[in-house]
Amino acid sequence: MSTTGNPGTPGAAGTGTGIRLHAPAPGWAVDADVVVVGSGVAGLTAALRCAAAGRRTVVVTKARLDDGSTRWAQGGIAAALGEGDTPEQHLDDTLVAGAGLCDENAVRLLVTEGPDAVRRLIAAGAVFDTSAETGEIELTREGGHHRRRIAHAGGDATGAEISRALVEAVHAAGIETVENALVLDLLQDAEGRTAGVTLHVMGEGQHDGVGAVHAPAVILATGGMGQVFSATTNPSVSTGDGVALALRAGAEVSDLEFVQFHPTVLFLGPDAEGQQPLVSEAVRGEGAHLVDADGVRFMLGQHELAELAPRDIVAKGITRRMQEQGTLHMYLDGRHFGAEMWENRFPTILAACRSHGIDPVTEPIPVAPAAHYASGGVRTDLHGRTTVPGLYACGEVACTGVHGANRLASNSLLEGLVFAERIAEDITSRAAEGSGPGIPVPATGPLQPATARYEVQRIMTRGAGVLRSAESLSEAAEALETLYTTALGELEAHGKTAEPGVDTWEATNLLCVARVLVAAAQRRAETRGCHWREDHPGRDDDAWRRHLVVRLSATERRALVVTPTDSADFPPVDADASGAPRPWTFPTPNPSSQEH
């Protein structure tokens, strides 16, 4: 169920919903100035900066410290580092890919601060591939870029190298970490300010079971939500936990309908589920071609950049060709590279393909689109501040306005790096004051059974995948609502809910983000970026060059409140009753909410 807010007037900042996951009371607690949730490039960069400024910093991560989404990034990190390239050119390519919905101020920050941020990453220990002749960083191209500006490491293992360097820096700095910990909910004081998080630690260690980290500043860097679909490039831990937590805490999310489907994911069969091997866009950047079973390069003539068009265009091109020919995949042909190039430039991809019985040296690679990246997320300002005082977000969990309707290739690592630094600067510029104690909030929302995870994935893959329509989205919305209302009815009538545990918490979070995604996709009656409506095939700037802001209502059986903005500009994250921005000090009183 979703309701509509008044256009241009999203809900007041910092309004709590009173909804929490069912979980045991915390049995242990840690005190800190800052708690960072997530251990990718965004989370670890923010943690290192905060700790360097003398703030007691705790990093909480769902798996091992080096097991976040960053390590899976193959292609690289985009920045204007090459001769003749400029931040302005990088900005232009980003704005084109974002299809009219990028925040130009956010993009300008990204591209101007990005090169120095990459240099600081190198100074922290990250080693990028360099030219044997010049010693300069080697740069490649990816989709949507008109310049070679993608720095890479280990050929196609950039994320793994960045993760290695940052993890080593965190260990060297002596930052406290809590691994194998699923974050549950935000702790808030009596005035709605952030007071820390509750979390569940899986397995043995210094902490075990449900506990709490008390801190007046929380940085969400939890990564994506790709597991909401059956096939994704995301690891199994990417279950939308950060977005769901933020919604329950009263924060706003935006642009969740814009899920990027990576065009070239290794096709493992029609029944393949879970994380699928990615075939990096850099393979096309080095000259591989997309072809159908007859060897025809079907992207020629569809875009000036052919196979290197922005990802949404390539994913649509592949999907159209599959529909035309009644097939389940296309092919990526890089046989002309030869064995030496495959082995030196793309060793990870080569090994993954061969492990599944495919040799790219001698045969084309079967590929199909799969869920890859959430362009939207928890809405922030240019300092990573959300609509809840003291709660920050960066990386894939955040919606900074950089990506608009479609992320430009390899801008994600850069966004995490740049905005993590900006968050740390904002936090450390404030007095290190404490917050009030977190107020226990009884759980009022139902937990989903563990099996709901797979039901959500099937519903979303069928109804809200690459190609959507009013009919498919309506069916998805109805099926998701049935899952929710059935569990809610059992809770309200009989006090029954699924047994608290990692599987049921993750399933509940997945259902939450799926409902938001579908509600926004139903409202956006156009095709833009990576949101493709076959019943509305055109882009409608007059009606839809605007964002959809979603929050969770504390009334109306937990309805989603979907509010269009007045324009492509986001309203301030912290505003008075008239919508005018006002300064935010740490901590501040929480303004009252206005229901729509």
Side-chain angles (χ1 to χ4, degrees), residues 143-440:
H145 293 272
H146 284 79
R147 289 273 188 178
R148 296 179 75 89
R149 66 168 66 97
I150 316 300
H152 49 84
D156 57 359
T158 310
E161 170 57 20
I162 291 173
S163 180
R164 179 205 62 78
L166 292 175
V167 168
E168 288 186 5
V170 165
H171 286 319
I175 296 173
E176 182 175 356
T177 62
V178 182
E179 296 182 308
N180 300 309
L182 170 63
V183 68
L184 299 176
D185 278 302
L186 191 72
L187 289 169
Q188 293 170 277
D189 66 16
E191 295 177 317
R193 299 174 300 194
T194 293
V197 294
T198 56
L199 63 156
H200 174 78
V201 180
M202 300 165 271
E204 298 179 359
Q206 182 179 356
H207 306 294
D208 196 12
V210 174
V213 181
H214 298 293
V218 171
I219 303 173
L220 294 179
T222 52
M225 55 181 202
Q227 290 290 326
V228 79
F229 295 95
S230 295
T232 177
T233 63
N234 290 190
S236 61
V237 294
S238 297
T239 51
D241 307 318
V243 171
L245 174 150
L247 280 164
R248 289 192 295 269
E252 295 174 350
V253 303
S254 186
D255 297 353
L256 226 59
E257 67 270 34
F258 297 117
V259 175
Q260 186 177 86
F261 287 78
H262 198 288
T264 53
V265 175
L266 183 63
F267 181 75
L268 300 179
D271 299 322
E273 293 183 339
Q275 186 178 10
Q276 311 290 301
L278 175 66
V279 182
S280 169
E281 197 151 311
V283 177
R284 282 175 280 139
E286 296 292 354
H289 302 141
L290 282 167
V291 298
D292 61 19
D294 298 320
V296 176
R297 289 181 62 189
F298 55 88
M299 285 304 299
L300 292 175
Q302 294 199 37
H303 189 276
E304 61 167 335
L305 297 176
E307 285 94 349
L308 285 177
R311 287 179 178 173
D312 63 308
I313 294 172
V314 180
K316 291 171 187 173
I318 291 173
T319 302
R320 285 194 190 99
R321 195 67 157 194
M322 286 162 50
Q323 289 177 329
E324 291 168 2
Q325 298 191 340
T327 59
L328 297 175
H329 63 83
M330 290 287 110
Y331 293 94
L332 185 63
D333 192 353
R335 290 175 291 179
H336 52 286
F337 288 174
E340 183 178 357
M341 181 173 176
W342 273 109
E343 290 165 0
N344 294 329
R345 179 67 177 86
F346 301 112
T348 307
I349 298 169
L350 179 64
C353 289
R354 284 178 170 170
S355 72
H356 291 285
I358 299 155
D359 189 349
V361 177
T362 60
E363 60 186 315
I365 305 169
V367 292
H372 182 58
Y373 190 89
S375 294
V378 184
R379 192 168 76 83
T380 75
D381 66 7
L382 299 184
H383 294 281
R385 296 177 292 210
T386 75
T387 50
V388 174
L391 179 65
Y392 296 78
C394 59
E396 189 173 355
V397 70
C399 181
T400 62
V402 159
H403 303 309
N406 181 48
R407 175 176 68 93
L408 181 66
S410 287
N411 268 356
S412 53
L413 291 177
L414 191 70
E415 183 200 29
L417 194 61
V418 168
F419 282 86
E421 291 186 345
R422 295 183 67 82
I423 288 172
E425 180 183 5
D426 190 73
I427 290 174
T428 57
S429 69
R430 303 174 186 276
E433 303 176 42
S435 61
I439 305 300

Side-chain angles (χ1 to χ4, degrees), residues 28 41 43 51 78 144 159 172 185 211 221 334 374 405 407 466 511 539:
W28 54 270
V41 63
D185 278 302
R407 175 176 68 93
V466 177
L511 178 60
R539 173 171 152 177

